[in-house]
Amino acid sequence: AFGLPLAEIYAEFEPEAIATASMAQVHRARLFDGREVVVKVQRPGIGPQIRSDLAILYYMAKLGEATVDEIGLYNPVGIVKEFDRAINEELNFLHEAANNETARNNALGNPDYIIPEIIQELTNNTIITQTYIDGEKLSSIEVGSERALTLCTIAMEAAFQQIFTDGFFHGDPHPGNMLVTKTNQVAFLDWGLVGTLSVGQQDELIDLILSIISNDVDGITRTVLRMGKPDGRVNLRLLRTDVQRIRDLHLTRSLAKLNLGAMMEDIMNVAHTHRIRVNPEYALLTKATATVEGVLRSVYPNLDIIGTLKPYAERLLKDRFGSE
């Protein structure tokens, strides 16, 4: 990738990978200035293989839309196009490096939340070199412990900062992408897949969450309509009935135990059922929220998601209804 022998690039390079995935694997290394780093190496030949798979997905999506009317509701060709765009960005590691630096700059004001630094001169479209973070997976922390509560609260606040302050969030926060250090910092790794939210979209999310908290079924229904584009006329009475059913299903317990990610997933599915095409960024956000919430609750089952969210909702409301 660099056109040089390995020994001229890194002072040390461990041949055994410390992590592997479908697109790349990660090795520990050391630079000539003594810094410990990790090197993400793209698998040779993965590009043509992915493009071949995409061609098959396009064929299946077009065939489905042409032969089954109901499939058109989910816009499979549009989904494949979005996946095509996202995965081709992931194939070019310079996109991930840029995403990483954006996230790192956003995190600088929060001492409990860290992002590794990219070594720019040793990064290109198939290689990423970044500073090594000595930590363990968040999911390995002792379940229900005080440390678990501390770290889960930090991780949740970091996720809300990404969504409601930065408008730039991690799209794949699975357990392998969240590390914790001995000094109780939480690190988010692997910024190949990200989502962005405009100020207007952040407002719509707050409207949705406030409507959920206040049991305002009509408010949830109106917000769902604003978050998407109806494909034809929507029967508001039936939409409201389905929203009421989802609300009753999830709010049978206290708000502190509300599974917000799962409820948002069900609301988005109801929108699809009523032929409301929801913005793809909301679909990615719903998936990411459900993933991170699942990880955190596996470590600290009684985590108060709504209580952690409250300050962000209050700040956005104050901004919206300020004197100006």
Side-chain angles (χ1 to χ4, degrees):
F2 292 109
L4 293 168
L6 191 63
E8 293 184 19
I9 305 170
Y10 304 99
E12 296 177 11
F13 191 97
E14 294 185 5
E16 292 295 322
I18 60 172
T20 61
S22 58
M23 193 178 291
Q25 61 190 45
V26 178
H27 297 257
R28 286 191 66 175
R30 186 171 61 83
L31 304 184
F32 288 103
D33 63 9
R35 282 181 292 174
E36 299 289 328
V37 296
V38 293
V39 185
K40 183 175 180 178
V41 185
Q42 189 172 116
R43 296 187 182 281
I46 193 68
Q49 185 177 338
I50 285 176
R51 283 188 282 275
S52 175
D53 289 345
L54 283 167
I56 296 170
L57 286 173
Y58 273 118
Y59 174 78
M60 294 173 65
K62 291 174 182 177
L63 181 65
E65 284 192 355
T67 56
V68 183
D69 289 341
E70 290 81 359
I71 288 180
L73 169 63
Y74 295 94
N75 188 19
V77 172
I79 291 173
V80 175
K81 282 182 179 178
E82 179 64 20
F83 179 61
D84 187 349
R85 180 199 63 76
I87 202 166
N88 273 292
E89 282 193 2
E90 285 192 70
L91 274 172
N92 185 348
F93 283 0
L94 291 175
H95 284 290
E96 178 177 339
N99 291 340
N100 188 100
E101 290 307 277
T102 297
R104 186 168 178 273
N105 288 332
N106 290 340
L108 288 178
N110 186 341
D112 297 322
Y113 162 39
I114 56 174
I115 310 292
E117 179 185 358
I118 298 293
I119 311 300
Q120 298 290 353
E121 63 271 22
L122 295 179
T123 294
N124 59 28
N125 62 345
T126 59
I127 304 287
I128 291 179
T129 305
Q130 60 190 29
T131 52
Y132 173 70
I133 293 178
D134 186 11
E136 59 184 316
K137 290 181 181 179
L138 176 60
S139 56
S140 67
I141 301 301
E142 181 184 352
V143 176
S145 64
E146 281 298 314
R147 186 170 185 237
L149 174 59
T150 298
L151 291 168
C152 286
T153 301
I154 291 171
M156 182 56 69
E157 287 179 346
F160 287 148
Q161 176 185 324
Q162 293 171 24
I163 296 167
F164 296 111
T165 301
D166 306 332
F168 185 88
F169 62 91
H170 198 299
D172 190 22
H174 64 72
N177 287 339
M178 288 189 287
L179 296 184
V180 295
T181 69
K182 293 177 181 178
T183 56
N184 283 354
Q185 292 175 302
V186 175
F188 281 72
L189 312 178
D190 191 356
W191 290 83
L193 180 61
V194 300
T196 58
L197 296 170
S198 67
V199 173
Q201 289 170 330
Q202 290 172 324
D203 276 347
E204 288 171 350
L205 279 173
I206 287 295
D207 283 341
L208 178 63
I209 293 167
L210 289 177
S211 296
I212 290 171
I213 293 172
S214 59
N215 294 333
D216 182 1
V217 175
D218 291 325
I220 298 173
T221 305
R222 289 193 300 270
T223 305
V224 168
L225 280 171
R226 291 204 313 274
M227 293 173 77
K229 183 179 180 181
D231 185 16
R233 186 176 179 83
V234 176
N235 187 320
L236 292 179
R237 182 179 60 81
L238 290 180
L239 176 61
R240 187 188 185 284
T241 298
D242 282 344
V243 168
Q244 176 78 56
R245 175 176 54 80
I246 296 300
R247 178 254 168 226
D248 292 345
L249 176 66
H250 288 275
L251 289 179
T252 55
R253 297 180 296 174
S254 69
L255 279 174
K257 296 183 178 180
L258 171 65
N259 190 322
L260 184 61
M263 185 171 184
M264 286 180 63
E265 278 192 307
D266 285 346
I267 289 172
M268 294 301 156
N269 286 334
V270 164
H272 280 298
T273 301
H274 288 269
R275 309 188 76 88
I276 300 170
R277 296 181 185 271
V278 178
N279 186 303
E281 295 294 334
Y282 288 129
L284 178 60
L285 175 64
T286 299
K287 168 187 167 294
T289 302
T291 301
V292 74
E293 188 172 356
V295 173
L296 300 184
R297 288 201 187 277
S298 72
V299 177
Y300 198 85
N302 294 323
L303 186 65
D304 183 359
I305 303 292
I306 298 299
T308 308
L309 173 61
K310 187 178 178 183
Y312 293 90
E314 288 178 343
R315 180 184 58 76
L316 286 173
L317 281 173
K318 287 176 181 176
D319 290 344
R320 184 191 300 179
F321 295 112
S323 58
E324 293 179 0

